[in-house]
Amino acid sequence: MTALNRPLVLQRGREAYDITFAAMRAFTDARTPQTADELWIVEHPPVFTLGLAADPTHVLDAHDIPVVQTDRGGEVTYHGPGQVVIYLLLDLRRNQANSRVFARELVNKIEQAVIDTLAAYNLACERKLGAPGIYLSDGPMQGAKIAALGLKIRGNGCTYHGVSLNVAMDLTPFSWINPCGYEGLATIDMQSLGVQTTLSAVQNALAEKLTQSLSR
């Protein structure tokens, strides 16, 4: 990957979801073949987001948390304080002429970056066929979901949206939805698994793993 293609990492801090969503679309509308790719690190106030495939009935009770329809793939998920969110604003055609093929590789790269980040904290995790995201692979909470992902890939090969990793959250709002459309799916965060760290440390670690993965 050339210097142009190595993504810039931007820290946007805590920001309302609708502001970030609008900014991602505006960035993608305005980008040219010369625009550098970017990774945006964000922390959102509480929000439920619906993917294009989402059934709104999977929001069981929003409890006054905003519900936002998005244009990413996937189902319903929750974002909130204590969660790492990294958005990937990439030009896939810059890496491979067939952006559809590279899209599948991209999902694999994102998932592997999350797995590698969690392995550094001694948390064993895995993918599940047909269920995008990352899940605990052993221990009492085996099968619990700790990270989610969803992307928008436009016809020109440009992407936005991205990945979220639960670090130290109030997990209660996940019980108010069917996470990713799965009734009763357990959701977990790093803090509940005994990991003592900071949000910024995990933000930086995951951003570095993603940059390394995308640079291969």
Side-chain angles (χ1 to χ4, degrees):
M1 184 173 279
T2 67
L4 176 64
N5 295 339
R6 185 176 177 85
L8 303 174
V9 179
L10 303 181
Q11 172 60 260
R12 293 177 68 94
R14 185 175 292 195
E15 185 172 72
Y17 182 85
D18 57 350
I19 293 175
T20 312
F21 185 24
M24 288 191 292
R25 288 180 292 177
F27 176 92
T28 306
D29 288 342
R31 70 179 302 160
T32 71
Q34 288 71 45
T35 302
D37 294 335
E38 296 187 1
L39 302 182
W40 291 2
I41 303 174
V42 189
E43 182 186 19
H44 290 307
V47 62
F48 295 118
T49 68
L50 302 174
L52 292 172
D55 179 346
T57 64
H58 287 309
V59 180
L60 307 177
D61 188 340
H63 288 77
D64 297 323
I65 293 177
V67 179
V68 178
Q69 177 66 58
T70 79
D71 57 358
R72 63 167 170 79
E75 259 282 356
V76 61
T77 194
Y78 169 70
H79 298 307
Q83 182 187 63
V84 173
V85 179
I86 299 185
Y87 294 118
L88 297 94
L89 296 102
L90 311 174
D91 181 351
L92 299 187
R93 291 187 179 176
R94 181 178 287 154
N95 300 288
Q96 185 166 317
N98 189 342
S99 58
R100 286 175 179 259
V101 173
F102 192 74
R104 292 194 292 270
E105 297 177 6
L106 174 60
V107 170
N108 186 274
K109 286 174 181 284
I110 294 169
E111 291 176 334
Q112 192 60 50
V114 175
I115 290 170
D116 292 345
T117 298
L118 291 167
Y121 291 95
N122 297 313
L123 296 178
C125 297
E126 63 185 358
R127 302 172 177 87
K128 281 189 177 182
L129 186 64
I134 299 300
Y135 304 79
L136 297 185
S137 59
D138 63 12
M141 292 297 295
Q142 182 177 359
K145 190 167 190 174
I146 195 168
L149 65 93
L151 297 170
K152 171 67 176 180
I153 303 177
R154 290 189 176 175
N156 62 0
C158 293
T159 77
Y160 51 103
H161 296 293
V163 61
S164 60
L165 171 59
N166 305 335
V167 179
M169 305 178 68
D170 175 3
L171 296 169
T172 306
F174 283 107
S175 69
W176 301 338
I177 61 174
N178 291 328
C180 302
Y182 293 95
E183 183 178 356
L185 176 64
T187 307
I188 196 69
D189 64 3
M190 296 171 68
Q191 177 178 256
S192 300
L193 297 167
V195 175
Q196 299 299 314
T197 187
T198 64
L199 185 68
S200 62
V202 183
Q203 287 174 332
N204 293 333
L206 180 54
E208 179 58 27
K209 291 294 185 185
L210 285 167
T211 299
Q212 292 173 1
S213 184
L214 294 169
S215 299
R216 295 187 186 119

